[in-house]
Amino acid sequence: MRSIRNSFERENANGFIVPDEEIIDAKRFHDQHRSSFAELSVDFRELRWADELTVAVSYSDRFDEIQNGQFLLPTAVGEANRSIETISQRIDYRKQLFNRLSLRYFGVLSHTSIISRDSTSSIYNWRGEILTLGGNQLGSEIFPIPTAREGNDLGTAHRLAANYQINKNFKVTLSEFFRYTRIDGNDPLGSRILLEGEEIDPNTIPAKLWRNILGAELTSEFMDEKLTLIAFYKNYYYQAESIDILQNSTSFIPVRDVDESLDGYGLAVKYKFSPALMLRGSYEQAARIPTQTEIFGDFGAIVPNYTLRPETSDNVNLGIRFDQPIGNLEQFSFQLGGFIRNRKNLIRIEPFGTENARFVNEAEVDGRGIEAAISVVPIPKLTLNGNLTYQSNEITSPQLNGSALEGAQVPNIPNLFYNATVSYSFEDLFNKDFDLELFGNYFFTDRYSINEVKDLDTANPDFVIPEQHLVNLGFVASPSVERLKVSFTLRNALNSLIYDNFRIPRPGINYSIKLNYSI
Amino acid sequence: MSLFRSAYIARTFIAIAAVIFLAACSEDDNNGESPTPEETIKTSGFLITGTTSSNNALVRYFEDIPTGTVDLSAGTDFIQFLPTSIYDHYIYLARPDDLPGFSKMAVNSNGELEEVGTIPTVDEGSFRIGIRDANTGVYQDRNTPNIITVFDPTTLETTATIDMTEGLEPTGSESRYQRFIFRDDDIFSPIRPNDNSEGLYSGFYLHQANLATNNYVGSTGVDAPLSGGVLTVNNFGQEQVDTNGDLYVQDGGAVGTGTFARIYKIPAGSDEIDPNYVFEPVRVIAPSNIFYPIITGFKLVAPGKAIARVNTNVPQEVIDLISSFPGSTFEEKVAAFLADDDAIQQALAALFTAETAAWCELDLVAQTVTIIEGAPVLGANAGGLNTFKHNGEVYFPIATQTEQAFYKYTPGTPTATKVFDVTGADLSNGYNIANNN
């Protein structure tokens, strides 16, 4: 990482050892990642009671050393780490009945164990050196207090969809999605609730999250399938109940709960002027239920927000799509769309202290924008793709006096970004046993602020993420060894300054090599 | 592949490469530090600060005291902006980018805030820095809480350290300094636990050090064993020592236990809190307000006179809630109420949000409290604590559900008039950079 602040200690002219800062190019020194994944899957087809049935069990684990929190400080994280182990079973069932009714069920049951370790008496700088002044008074690097939390997550999700073709013009779809999550654990180093003289580890009291989405959809086609109308209704149910594990020194169980039921509905229209040209439009009143990470955090840099509410929105979309070769081109497709998305309780991440972040509800945000995508194949094997988004997410809800920062953009979200990709495939090279695909892509992100500001031209430049230009180059090679693929990516090939949404510098030029072998 | 196609591919790649190159060239590669401002800085003017809904700060400089309505959204944004001292027109504060340490800032000739120096610390929660005079400042790095660091405000270099390990530790753990009050060569510093999880001390205590010897001097304090924790206050600046050398300092009171916020006096020539001086402004003006008897923003404004925001009333909602509990006397109802956790949480929510406080002038000798007329009541925890002086008048912030403004009054004649309204952010504070502290 280039040009970052680094803490160090020096002896000043008066003979005192004092902390100081320097700007250095730092190499990440506590950033090891290890992961593995294995899956056993059995597929059954054309059984009497199932057209398709897949039963699978998978195991995955990963270990991550943590190098920094949600923000970049002049000190680094040198010891904290996290490991995750998951065993998951899934079942996927499909069946067509009476020619008109099709059923699909998908279910998952998973057990995840997450161990977060953050306990140290040392403070590290970005050179990997231990600072001596005072040691680590907190005893931790990311968490507000030392932790050795072991969490056990039980999750199960079930989706059932039934499609019934009433006649040539009408189809009805019913769907049901249910997800349940239960999280508990223990933390020998964490905070305790003192209840009637007994110390209780709040991690041992389970947190629970229920989510249910019930949907019904009617699809109708007219005018020789040129006109499609879709009307739909959804009910969103969300209930979360948890113990606030961040509470210290409490003498009661700090239960936080949210319970909401919301309705959504919408209407979508598609009209095909020709096989190549389609116009579409829709209106939807939608809801988005917070995810597990948004509510419970990641047991790392993202802290929980147990009272997060669902995000609701009014959405209007209009779009046009053209897909037909023109001139001498092999393929050409173009899409242009516009949207209005006015949201209440927008769920977004914001800083929480110096190391952490959490998801919050921003009261009211008016969004609008356009999206364009183009895909061109000028000659066989050469593909060009491009995408562009221009959007505005304006805060419209005042804070205290009716006008506080009304009109400011929601922080941490860019207004303009686009990308272009080019790829070319060589087939049957070297005695016809070797395929090679070369690719390059370019990403542009316009400047935006990590603070709430009305005008980027007058905003504090220290908190404005400048324009970013990212170029990646690489290839995918398929040599003669069956099922083997080798890919190489040179990321940030121009060594540009690239940032994340909180203005943390991303790596300069770097590369990765991936070997893929399928059994 | 035909020659034509090879040339076509080559041209395509060259075109794409050119686009990428041109795009890359448009990048602003100036990632160096902004130049240090020349020594031309504003020596007068006002900083008005506000808070956004993301809890960032907006700061706007005004050459003259504003009139009409000022829009803070046109100000400069920072992650935080919490000055604790202004001296020789330089502003000293915890770093506004939220990195560990302190900044020295100034308003440049263009009216823009610029950082002219930093004092990095190890602990990112270090927040208190104070300037005694042009040659001496002090701060605490909370990673080494038993040390007060003395530094030169010009060079920002450490010139001495004061070992405070002998200081009183009410619960056996280390403390942070809520403020540094200078009286000649002495520093008096109210303390609270350095570890956030330890809450508050059951009492109000100060450590004393001496800048001539750079030694710890002693500790003084008052126990409040039934308080459940006495709030301490970390207002901006000084103005805690009267012209005759008497030092006055406030605590914030306690929640729900009948421990009233108090003004303490350390008489001139003494290093100890005067046990016979007991001035509790809320008890004077609202003796029934035992639930949230706090004051904030205490500052001397004239000999023997101070300004403070005093929580002068109990919200009717809380009175109604307590009255709904069984009991033949109010005390019995309170006892029943205190046994109900849910009711307490409901009452706390009302206490923290109700607009029951008022800016008051305190007579420190007669121990009287006079509400400053003409200014609206506001929440006990409303934004805006810092008052400042200009042309002999005291300016104070008002942030209510319906109004955000600065009012002013003349000490001794407690009737206020509105000076200007604030829009564009939630009002935080105001500072006069012409004044030392």
Side-chain angles (χ1 to χ4, degrees):
Chain A
M1 292 188 295
R2 285 163 302 153
S3 303
I4 66 165
R5 294 177 191 272
N6 179 54
S7 279
F8 70 102
E9 291 162 340
R10 65 176 171 85
E11 184 176 339
N12 76 1
N14 302 314
F16 293 96
I17 303 294
V18 294
D20 207 341
E21 280 177 15
E22 57 187 347
I23 303 293
I24 65 167
D25 292 342
K27 189 175 178 185
R28 299 174 75 86
F29 65 90
H30 188 250
D31 205 23
Q32 191 185 105
H33 163 79
R34 187 183 67 236
S35 63
S36 59
F37 175 81
E39 182 178 79
L40 177 66
S41 164
V42 182
D43 288 343
F44 301 92
R45 288 174 195 274
E46 295 179 12
L47 302 174
R48 193 165 52 84
W49 45 274
D51 298 338
E52 234 181 287
L53 174 67
T54 303
V55 180
V57 58
S58 65
Y59 169 83
S60 66
D61 81 338
R62 67 179 282 169
F63 170 81
D64 291 292
E65 290 181 340
I66 300 170
Q67 181 70 89
N68 57 271
Q70 198 68 29
F71 308 97
L72 209 60
L73 295 176
T75 51
V77 177
E79 295 185 27
N81 62 61
R82 182 174 49 180
S83 51
I84 303 173
E85 197 176 37
T86 300
I87 296 175
S88 175
Q89 301 96 48
R90 66 180 166 88
I91 186 166
D92 191 351
Y93 169 84
R94 297 171 201 226
K95 176 67 179 170
Q96 181 86 24
L97 293 167
F98 319 120
N99 285 327
R100 290 191 170 191
L101 176 65
S102 66
L103 295 174
R104 183 173 183 192
Y105 165 77
F106 183 84
V108 180
L109 175 68
S110 65
H111 292 81
T112 301
S113 169
I114 306 172
I115 302 177
S116 305
R117 306 172 190 87
D118 185 8
S119 167
T120 178
S121 58
S122 301
I123 295 180
Y124 293 81
N125 70 9
W126 281 101
R127 296 184 189 279
E129 301 161 344
I130 293 175
L131 302 178
T132 60
L133 283 168
N136 188 329
Q137 291 281 317
L138 278 182
S140 58
E141 298 178 294
I142 297 285
F143 283 72
I145 54 174
T147 186
R149 181 184 183 277
E150 181 176 357
N152 299 303
D153 299 5
L154 167 71
T156 184
H158 306 270
R159 186 190 299 275
L160 178 65
N163 288 295
Y164 184 73
Q165 190 77 43
I166 300 169
N167 57 34
K168 184 178 171 237
N169 297 111
F170 292 95
K171 183 176 80 172
V172 66
T173 303
L174 297 174
S175 63
E176 159 68 14
F177 173 77
F178 171 77
R179 179 186 284 273
Y180 169 73
T181 308
R182 179 185 188 276
I183 300 175
D184 63 7
N186 66 84
D187 187 348
L189 305 178
S191 61
R192 294 289 181 270
I193 299 169
L194 191 62
L195 201 63
E196 295 173 355
E198 188 185 351
E199 283 194 339
I200 296 175
D201 178 352
N203 292 280
T204 61
I205 302 171
K208 296 167 189 168
L209 172 65
W210 293 264
R211 282 182 284 178
N212 196 83
I213 302 173
L214 178 67
E217 183 177 299
L218 178 67
T219 304
S220 43
E221 292 181 331
F222 306 100
M223 303 165 70
D224 288 335
E225 299 181 2
K226 282 185 175 173
L227 177 66
T228 305
L229 296 175
I230 303 168
F232 54 89
Y233 162 81
K234 289 177 184 172
N235 174 264
Y236 305 85
Y237 176 70
Y238 160 56
Q239 186 186 353
E241 178 186 300
S242 50
I243 303 300
D244 188 344
I245 60 170
L246 296 179
Q247 288 286 312
N248 283 309
S249 310
T250 64
S251 55
F252 61 95
I253 295 179
V255 176
R256 306 280 182 260
D257 53 42
V258 182
D259 188 341
E260 289 213 38
S261 176
L262 298 160
D263 293 317
Y265 54 86
L267 185 69
V269 184
K270 283 191 279 188
Y271 186 80
K272 289 180 190 168
F273 290 96
S274 70
L277 183 63
M278 185 185 75
L279 189 68
R280 61 179 169 77
S282 66
Y283 167 78
E284 182 180 6
Q285 187 177 76
R288 187 172 83 76
I289 296 174
T291 65
Q292 184 176 328
T293 301
E294 288 168 343
I295 301 164
F296 298 116
D298 66 350
F299 299 101
I302 299 173
V303 300
N305 182 353
Y306 300 106
T307 54
L308 205 59
R309 302 186 60 205
E311 173 184 318
T312 57
S313 58
D314 286 303
N315 301 272
V316 177
N317 291 282
L318 264 182
I320 189 166
R321 178 188 165 91
F322 179 79
D323 188 352
Q324 182 176 287
I326 52 175
N328 292 326
L329 300 175
E330 297 280 330
Q331 278 181 39
F332 178 83
S333 74
F334 177 73
Q335 287 187 68
L336 179 66
F339 62 85
I340 296 171
R341 192 178 301 143
N342 295 341
R343 285 172 282 189
K344 289 180 181 168
N345 293 320
L346 168 70
I347 297 169
R348 69 175 184 89
I349 196 164
E350 73 165 21
F352 186 77
T354 45
E355 287 275 18
N356 302 116
R358 70 171 177 174
F359 287 91
V360 296
N361 290 116
E362 181 77 55
E364 287 180 23
V365 172
D366 280 0
R368 64 207 61 188
I370 55 166
E371 293 169 323
I374 187 167
S375 180
V376 182
V377 180
I379 56 171
K381 300 172 188 173
L382 176 65
T383 304
L384 305 170
N385 289 310
N387 292 280
L388 179 144
T389 299
Y390 179 78
Q391 61 180 354
S392 163
N393 291 289
E394 223 173 69
I395 297 169
T396 55
S397 53
Q399 268 288 88
L400 192 121
N401 69 340
S403 62
L405 278 195
E406 205 171 326
Q409 290 290 312
V410 175
N412 309 102
I413 301 175
N415 283 17
L416 172 66
F417 49 94
Y418 54 80
N419 67 75
T421 301
V422 56
S423 66
Y424 189 83
S425 302
F426 298 92
E427 291 176 0
D428 300 332
L429 295 172
F430 312 124
N431 299 324
K432 297 186 178 294
D433 282 335
F434 192 93
D435 295 341
L436 179 68
E437 183 190 351
L438 301 177
F439 65 86
N441 48 47
Y442 164 69
F443 295 86
F444 169 81
T445 308
D446 203 2
R447 64 187 177 139
Y448 60 106
S449 178
I450 62 171
N451 284 345
E452 244 174 273
V453 291
K454 276 189 172 174
D455 185 353
L456 283 175
D457 290 330
T458 57
N460 189 334
D462 288 347
F463 306 113
V464 173
I465 299 173
E467 279 184 5
Q468 298 173 75
H469 306 267
L470 173 67
V471 173
N472 300 321
L473 300 170
F475 66 80
V476 179
S478 304
S480 55
V481 179
E482 201 175 353
R483 301 195 189 99
L484 176 66
K485 277 191 175 179
V486 180
S487 60
F488 171 83
T489 306
L490 185 67
R491 293 198 184 95
N492 195 2
L494 300 179
N495 207 22
S496 304
L497 278 170
I498 304 296
Y499 302 89
D500 74 1
N501 291 2
F502 286 94
R503 213 173 187 273
I504 293 181
R506 305 288 274 277
I509 189 166
N510 66 97
Y511 64 88
S512 67
I513 299 169
K514 195 182 281 184
L515 301 177
N516 252 329
Y517 184 75
S518 306
I519 300 171
Chain B
M1 185 182 289
S2 70
L3 183 64
F4 170 79
R5 288 221 157 159
S6 298
Y8 187 93
I9 294 166
R11 278 203 301 275
T12 305
F13 271 111
I14 289 167
I16 291 164
V19 169
I20 290 170
F21 177 75
L22 290 172
C25 288
S26 68
E27 180 190 346
D28 180 6
D29 279 325
N30 178 18
N31 54 11
E33 295 286 300
S34 52
T36 306
E38 295 303 316
E39 292 311 312
T40 313
I41 63 166
K42 297 283 187 186
T43 56
S44 65
F46 305 88
L47 296 174
I48 308 300
T49 71
T51 308
T52 72
S53 54
S54 297
N55 284 325
N56 298 135
L58 284 169
V59 186
R60 193 165 171 196
Y61 169 77
F62 297 90
E63 192 99 37
D64 301 307
I65 197 78
T67 55
T69 300
V70 301
D71 181 3
L72 292 184
S73 70
T76 307
D77 56 301
F78 296 96
I79 304 289
Q80 60 180 9
F81 193 82
L82 302 165
T84 56
S85 186
I86 293 176
Y87 205 92
D88 283 346
H89 324 295
Y90 287 101
I91 303 130
Y92 297 83
L93 69 170
R95 290 169 75 172
D97 52 10
D98 209 17
L99 292 176
F102 302 99
S103 282
K104 177 182 177 181
M105 303 187 82
V107 180
N108 68 19
S109 54
N110 296 322
E112 298 157 345
L113 276 157
E114 288 204 10
E115 188 176 65
V116 295
T118 59
I119 302 175
T121 62
V122 177
D123 188 282
E124 59 257 30
S126 303
F127 64 96
R128 196 74 209 189
I129 185 167
I131 307 298
R132 185 185 69 158
D133 55 37
N135 302 313
T136 312
V138 297
Y139 68 85
Q140 182 194 36
D141 181 345
R142 287 176 61 192
N143 205 55
T144 50
N146 285 327
I147 291 173
I148 292 176
T149 303
V150 185
F151 71 97
D152 179 339
T154 304
T155 64
L156 302 182
E157 283 290 354
T158 301
T159 55
T161 56
I162 304 175
D163 183 353
M164 302 296 287
T165 45
E166 288 180 47
L168 174 72
E169 292 181 347
T171 58
S173 56
E174 294 162 329
S175 297
R176 63 175 140 166
Y177 294 120
Q178 289 293 86
R179 63 191 309 166
F180 297 110
I181 302 167
F182 300 111
R183 190 182 71 179
D184 301 326
D185 283 336
D186 287 322
I187 319 170
F188 291 86
S189 296
I191 59 173
R192 67 174 288 177
N194 192 38
D195 184 341
N196 293 337
S197 67
E198 286 189 29
L200 300 165
Y201 291 137
S202 293
F204 181 73
Y205 309 100
L206 301 102
H207 288 178
Q208 183 186 354
N210 186 277
L211 286 167
T213 61
N214 290 326
N215 283 324
Y216 166 76
V217 175
S219 301
T220 183
V222 173
D223 296 327
L226 303 178
S227 65
V230 173
L231 297 161
T232 48
V233 180
N234 56 346
N235 295 345
F236 166 85
Q238 296 291 313
E239 294 174 287
Q240 308 287 295
V241 180
D242 211 343
T243 46
N244 63 2
D246 290 340
L247 187 156
Y248 294 94
V249 60
Q250 71 156 109
D251 70 30
V255 183
T257 59
T259 301
F260 285 82
R262 178 174 163 183
I263 310 294
Y264 302 86
K265 177 181 175 183
I266 299 176
S270 168
D271 293 340
E272 301 291 332
I273 288 174
D274 179 355
N276 299 314
Y277 184 87
V278 179
F279 182 22
E280 297 169 333
V282 179
R283 194 192 291 276
V284 170
I285 198 165
S288 64
N289 187 4
I290 58 172
F291 303 107
Y292 201 35
I294 73 160
I295 64 171
T296 48
F298 172 83
K299 194 182 274 190
L300 292 168
V301 291
K305 293 200 183 300
I307 187 172
R309 195 170 70 190
V310 181
N311 199 20
T312 54
N313 278 305
V314 182
Q316 188 60 42
E317 184 183 341
V318 174
I319 294 170
D320 292 345
L321 179 66
I322 294 170
S323 300
S324 69
F325 276 82
S328 53
T329 64
F330 187 70
E331 286 70 24
E332 286 176 10
K333 288 174 183 289
V334 168
F337 158 76
L338 291 174
D340 186 329
D341 277 344
D342 288 341
I344 290 171
Q345 296 303 317
Q346 191 182 336
L348 286 175
L351 289 165
F352 292 164
T353 55
E355 294 185 336
T356 52
W359 283 100
C360 299
E361 188 174 84
L362 314 182
D363 186 319
L364 299 169
V365 180
Q367 298 192 11
T368 57
V369 179
T370 307
I371 292 175
I372 299 173
E373 297 296 331
V377 293
L378 67 172
N381 297 324
L385 283 178
N386 189 49
T387 57
F388 62 86
K389 281 187 190 168
H390 174 56
N391 290 340
E393 294 175 303
V394 177
Y395 291 70
F396 58 91
I398 291 286
T400 73
Q401 294 294 325
T402 56
E403 182 180 1
Q404 296 196 112
F406 260 86
Y407 283 66
K408 69 175 181 180
Y409 91 105
T410 304
T413 56
T415 300
T417 54
K418 187 192 283 193
V419 187
F420 59 93
D421 285 301
V422 171
T423 186
D426 293 339
L427 177 60
S428 295
N429 279 307
Y431 306 90
N432 182 352
I433 66 167
N435 297 342
N436 283 340
N437 289 312

